[in-house]
Amino acid sequence: MKSKILSVLQSVSPEADFVNSSNFLADGLMDSFDVVIITTSLEEVFQIAIPGDQITPENYASLDQLADLVMRCTVLARS
Amino acid sequence: MKASFSHVRIAGVLSVVPSRVSFFDDEVVNYSHSPANSRKLKMAMGYDQHRVAEPGVTTSDLACFGLQRLFDEHQIDPASIGAIFFVSQTPDYVVPPTSAYIHGKFAFPQDTYCIDINDGCCGYIKALYEAAACLSCTATQRALIIAGDVLSAKVSIHDRNSYPLIGDAATITLLEKTAVPSPLDIEIFYDGRGYDKLMIPAGGARLACSTATAELQTDEDGNRRSANHLVMQGRDVFAFTQTVVPEFMTAFLVRHDLTPEDIDVFLLHQANAFILDRLRAKLGVGKEKVPDLVIRKFGNSSSGSIPMCIATSLPTLDGVKAMACGFGVGLSWGAALFELKHLDFCKVIDF
């Protein structure tokens, strides 16, 4: 799952070092409009819906947190 | 602020948009972002086309064009209008009020009450409150709400956060007193701590426009704008629309003993398609209940977007229970609950 998420991130910002960043937003790797693109791409790739209140700086801070978010939304989609 | 009115109805809505159509695909070259990402953003945000006024055209020009059309078509007799509420962030002048300017252009009575409301995306809800209170507490029978903006002059063409969103428009809503019961419930809230989340820094008394304020600066996201331009803190505004606004909408419905299923149409401020889609999901209603044509085809006209929504959604909206919700600059948010039926006029015309 993480490799798929990483592919999405790199398709939006190919030059950004997402692997070595612990906080994408604080490190300036993505802006608010990148978040929009990433959200819709994740929804498409994983066939999930990410609720608006889950699109927070915390949930988009790192690969681990994005993976947690995708997992939660996947469970939600299956329930 | 919570208010209930019993004998007031929306009698007609006319929207006036500039005939010039600007396409997002043509604007991509103005942004420093990669064209590929801009195209992805286009899909997510609903960027397609928007209406942009020719330089020098003001909100009042659009409004006066619409009023003249309504008078020519005998939809409204200017002598019957007891109040004019002009809601905009793009007045013709700092002094006098644009409502007075508009009053002087037509044969409105001298005792017609005229006032400007400096407001944006929640401005229509506030004007509904003001106009309904005026109709309910005075002998006035009919009032006009003129709501809209020509924000293209206040947004940098190099600002991908804002320019693709905005759509110039002026809307005219006729509100009138009714003999039969016609409920109109309104709630409005503020959080002034967020005053700088959406703002034009220069041009008021605190920072006058100057050569320095007109200088373009590049922000951390690569957008170029000056202090004379509208600036939006996208992340904070988005968070506001996804936490405060849906909680408010749900609570509003509960306070009125309603569920989303009881509402035929949600007339939401046309912020962008991404926000609208997530608000719709939160409400748990189908796409047919949350029109988004305005943001896709005309652009976000701030206080004009809700009446634009009404004007573009008819004839399917005739005889329906509607909940309108505005949210934005202030920060402020509010909703209105009313029935839309048998409107005397309801259309969009080109300027």
Side-chain angles (χ1 to χ4, degrees):
Chain A
M1 176 192 286
K2 281 188 187 174
S3 63
K4 274 187 181 176
I5 295 172
L6 191 59
S7 295
V8 166
L9 295 173
Q10 284 169 338
S11 73
V12 176
S13 299
E15 70 287 356
D17 182 4
F18 290 105
V19 176
N20 294 309
S21 170
S22 58
N23 194 324
F24 301 157
L25 293 159
D27 292 344
L29 303 189
M30 61 170 77
D31 64 27
S32 56
F33 280 57
D34 291 335
V35 169
V36 169
I37 298 171
I38 289 162
T39 302
T40 51
S41 299
L42 290 174
E43 290 180 330
E44 198 180 310
V45 169
F46 293 100
Q47 292 294 296
I48 55 173
I50 301 177
D53 57 5
Q54 294 299 306
I55 306 172
T56 62
E58 297 74 28
N59 286 339
Y60 283 67
S62 69
L63 210 47
D64 286 341
Q65 277 150 313
L66 273 172
D68 284 346
L69 174 66
V70 169
M71 187 64 82
R72 288 200 303 277
C73 293
T74 305
V75 172
L76 208 62
R78 285 175 185 164
S79 64
Chain B
M1 198 287 303
K2 295 170 188 160
S4 293
F5 305 96
S6 57
H7 289 76
V8 175
R9 79 168 187 122
I10 291 175
V13 177
L14 176 74
S15 295
V16 184
V17 294
S19 53
R20 183 177 157 208
V21 183
S22 185
F23 293 90
F24 180 72
D25 287 343
D26 298 331
E27 297 162 358
V28 167
V29 292
N30 295 328
Y31 310 129
S32 62
H33 312 75
S34 81
N37 277 359
S38 289
R39 277 193 293 275
K40 286 180 190 168
L41 200 58
K42 173 186 174 178
M43 299 302 293
M45 300 289 274
Y47 294 160
D48 179 16
Q49 54 185 268
H50 55 150
R51 299 300 178 103
V52 177
E54 297 293 342
V57 171
T58 69
T59 309
S60 82
D61 290 334
L62 301 178
C64 288
F65 181 83
L67 285 169
Q68 189 62 60
R69 178 70 66 91
L70 290 171
F71 299 152
D72 289 346
E73 292 178 352
H74 305 291
Q75 298 284 3
I76 299 177
D77 174 4
S80 72
I81 300 300
I84 299 170
F85 299 87
F86 179 77
V87 194
S88 183
Q89 299 155 126
T90 48
D92 284 19
Y93 308 101
V94 175
V95 177
T98 305
S99 53
Y101 173 82
I102 293 171
H103 179 273
K105 290 284 179 188
F106 300 101
F108 292 113
Q110 283 198 327
D111 65 351
T112 297
Y113 176 67
C114 296
I115 192 163
D116 282 20
I117 301 173
N118 174 357
D119 220 307
C121 311
C122 187
Y124 188 69
I125 305 295
K126 295 167 194 174
L128 278 177
Y129 163 71
E130 299 272 353
C134 175
L135 292 172
S136 301
C137 301
T138 69
T140 300
Q141 296 296 314
R142 307 179 103 195
L144 292 177
I145 296 172
I146 299 172
D149 267 308
V150 173
L151 271 176
S152 58
K154 296 288 183 185
V155 174
S156 167
I157 61 165
H158 302 292
D159 185 350
R160 197 187 62 172
N161 284 15
S162 301
Y163 192 78
L165 288 173
I166 57 101
D168 297 330
T171 64
I172 299 161
T173 301
L174 175 64
L175 230 69
E176 66 183 15
K177 209 176 271 184
T178 60
V180 295
S182 177
L184 170 62
D185 293 337
I186 297 174
E187 294 187 7
I188 298 165
F189 293 84
Y190 273 88
D191 183 357
R193 292 170 300 177
Y195 79 95
D196 59 350
K197 302 302 182 194
L198 280 152
M199 79 183 304
I200 298 175
R206 196 166 294 282
L207 179 63
C209 285
S210 65
T211 313
T213 64
E215 246 175 59
L216 289 177
Q217 311 278 346
T218 304
D219 73 6
E220 56 187 13
D221 298 341
N223 297 297
R224 295 173 68 224
R225 70 175 82 84
S226 78
N228 295 346
H229 288 133
L230 179 78
V231 57
M232 175 170 58
Q233 309 296 334
R235 200 181 301 166
D236 295 337
V237 173
F238 178 77
F240 160 68
T241 66
Q242 298 302 312
T243 53
V244 174
V245 174
E247 282 168 23
F248 161 68
M249 289 181 73
T250 304
F252 178 92
L253 288 169
V254 169
R255 279 194 286 275
H256 289 85
D257 204 18
L258 294 168
T259 68
E261 289 70 38
D262 298 320
I263 303 295
D264 295 313
V265 64
F266 291 90
L267 302 164
L268 306 186
H269 165 58
Q270 302 283 291
N272 62 55
F274 188 77
I275 285 175
L276 286 182
D277 202 43
R278 272 149 184 83
L279 285 176
R280 183 190 60 74
K282 196 86 174 173
L283 286 166
V285 297
K287 288 191 175 184
E288 71 287 353
K289 280 196 175 189
V290 185
D292 66 355
L293 182 71
V294 175
I295 190 63
R296 294 181 188 281
K297 297 296 174 197
F298 296 96
N300 172 352
S301 50
S302 45
S303 61
S305 84
I306 291 173
M308 275 288 290
C309 222
I310 297 172
T312 53
S313 298
L314 271 184
T316 52
L317 288 188
D318 203 25
V320 295
K321 195 177 199 55
M323 176 177 168
C325 182
F327 44 87
V329 64
L331 295 168
S332 63
W333 59 99
L337 192 63
F338 50 84
E339 195 172 356
L340 278 172
K341 61 178 176 183
H342 310 313
L343 301 190
D344 298 344
F345 53 92
C346 188
K347 61 183 175 184
V348 181
I349 60 171
D350 277 7
F351 174 76

